[in-house]
Amino acid sequence: SLFRHVARRCSTGDVEQGEHDVSRQSKSIEISRPIGVVFAYLDDVDREHEWQPRLESATKDPPGPSQVGTRKSYVSEFLGRRTQNTYVVREMGPGWRIVYATTSDSTVDATSEVECEATSDGTMITMSVEASPRGALKLIPSAALEKAARDQLDAMLTLLKERLEAV
């Protein structure tokens, strides 16, 4: 995997470990479904594997609709490496907007924002993520992390649209 390759290069001194800039990704997509349906689907942790292709497991505490303080814990694969991240809801609203931030024991230091806006044809969803790696992920070059994060966001939104519009 890319992770093992970079780790080998770092251990031999071919790559220096350094601070990574914060990666910022944002993407929007229109989904031909009502806003309430889209937001409820996004908030259903039991269905997240349907639109997050690298997700291995997900839990939510407390169960039910998210509110400020709700914790979502994820185990997933990123660049061939198993990652564990816990996101806590920091803000909700106005309207159909939710902001999450990772806890200090997560693989990445991240803030994610999901915003849904009603359109004449359904819902415009915008996902924005600001993240910087922690631990071993810092060994991976920034450009590789940026590309992987961008590709993952694209794949997630494409699957989200496919799943919701197939209903």
Side-chain angles (χ1 to χ4, degrees):
S1 75
L2 176 62
F3 177 78
R4 284 188 202 94
H5 171 74
V6 171
R8 264 194 314 275
R9 288 183 61 204
C10 288
S11 67
T12 62
D14 292 341
V15 174
E16 290 183 30
Q17 180 178 351
E19 289 299 314
H20 282 260
D21 291 332
V22 173
S23 168
R24 291 176 179 82
Q25 306 290 329
S26 187
K27 185 163 175 94
S28 299
I29 196 166
E30 188 165 10
I31 298 173
S32 298
R33 300 285 289 154
I35 194 168
V37 171
V38 172
F39 200 78
Y41 184 82
L42 285 168
D43 195 39
D44 186 348
V45 74
D46 294 329
R47 300 194 72 183
E48 287 193 44
H49 67 279
E50 295 175 11
W51 57 275
Q52 293 193 45
R54 306 250 184 247
L55 186 63
E56 294 176 14
S57 67
T59 59
K60 183 177 183 181
D61 184 39
S66 288
Q67 55 193 330
V68 172
T70 297
R71 297 170 70 87
K72 289 185 173 184
S73 297
Y74 301 97
V75 175
S76 56
E77 182 271 326
F78 184 73
L79 290 174
R81 179 165 169 67
R82 189 171 198 236
T83 62
Q84 294 181 293
N85 293 297
T86 298
Y87 289 83
V88 178
V89 176
R90 297 290 185 215
E91 279 180 58
M92 291 198 69
W96 305 92
R97 179 178 168 270
I98 192 164
V99 177
Y100 300 93
T102 54
T103 57
S104 61
D105 59 342
S106 295
T107 307
V108 296
D109 180 15
T111 300
S112 300
E113 179 179 358
V114 179
E115 189 164 11
C116 297
E117 184 179 334
T119 66
S120 59
D121 294 326
T123 303
M124 179 65 68
I125 180 169
T126 301
M127 287 189 178
S128 303
V129 180
E130 287 189 5
S132 59
R134 291 185 175 139
L137 284 181
K138 284 185 167 188
L139 302 175
I140 299 173
S142 294
L145 288 173
E146 288 271 339
K147 181 180 182 332
R150 188 172 45 253
D151 291 350
Q152 184 171 319
L153 184 59
D154 288 347
M156 285 175 20
L157 286 173
T158 298
L159 278 172
L160 184 64
K161 180 177 177 67
E162 288 173 5
R163 298 297 188 264
L164 277 164
E165 291 183 352
V167 175

